[in-house]
Amino acid sequence: MPTADHNATLRRYQALLAPGTPIREGLERIVHGRTGALVVLGSTKKVEKLSTGGFALDVQFTPTALRELSKMDGGIVLSSDFERIIAAGVHFVPDGDIGTVETGTRHRTADRVAQQTGLAVVTVSASMSVISLFLDGQRHTIEWSEQILSRANQALATLQRYRERLVETSRNLSMLEVHDQVTVRDVALVAQRLEMMRRLDIEMRAYVAALGVDGRLLELQLHELTLGTDNLTTALELDYRPDETDQLEFRVAALSSLGNSDLLDLTSVARTMGFDGSTHLETRLSPRGYRQMAQLTRVPPGVGRRIVEHFGSLQTLFGARTADLQEVEGVGETRARMVREGLARLAEQVYSEQLG
């Protein structure tokens, strides 16, 4: 199974080879010329030890130069910053004992060179017109924009549905908070939706990286759909972290360790994010009020936090008078009235949505 480090490295190389980049332009010229190529992305001592023959160049990289040099037998070596072509016409002799499932000479060599040097190697198949990236013993096909966009649009539609469900569950949580009827199940459901969105967000960002200049609109849509989820995650943790639990031990981010099937189990979600194992899903919870205060945009975050910490619970905060609010540092009469009226509007909004 690919590691997180492998996936991060893969995304960097996908961005390097994305449409609109110089290397991608050079590779596309090779594809259209149907000549094939093997390109090592980096120059190290290990690469030198595997190299025989060829020509030392050390010239500025250009897409045209990459295309012309690919017409020669042998491979091409780029500098580690990908700005220069170090050598061309190189024949690589990697260790034949390194395992590979590849059968073609070019792909077999690329796979072994990548494994032995720890660098990425790109090949272009002359017969199939396919660009492949070899990294850490794995082969990744560099797809054309049309193929990526098809899957990306499907993922985007799913993310939109996830967003709608997150908004729905968050509104339901607000209603239950006003009525003081929140249970562990309700909090776990919001956390579950947040984690689902996070996983799809990671997949979408990989598409954006692979699309390069063709992914700009997709990136804007992704930003819009995920806007505010980090703030919601933080507020949820602050509101419902058990009193005896350390902040680092109660985190929605812990859900990343769950498999997809376990993520659908709210009991597993609750326990993984930090609720005590003996806590039942129907156990009642009392929110502190961070999430509700954050919705009062005219109240500075620091002041809002002091208000919540002063009163200790959302229900106590709802019952606070203007004079009570003025006891908090940084809260004068005007701000106290603003908080009082803001909380009243939030409660009225919840009641009107419930009746609607």
Side-chain angles (χ1 to χ4, degrees), residues 2 57 66 85-86 93 104 113 137 170-171 210 243 263 277 281 286 290 296 308 329 332:
L57 297 174
L66 186 67
I85 300 176
I86 302 300
V93 188
V113 169
S170 297
R171 285 176 178 169
D243 293 331
L263 185 60
L281 284 178
S286 179
Y290 289 98
L296 305 183
V308 173
E329 180 185 354

Side-chain angles (χ1 to χ4, degrees), residues 210-223:
L211 284 166
V213 294
D214 294 336
R216 292 171 181 170
L217 178 58
L218 188 67
E219 186 173 19
L220 290 174
Q221 292 173 297
L222 178 60
H223 175 73

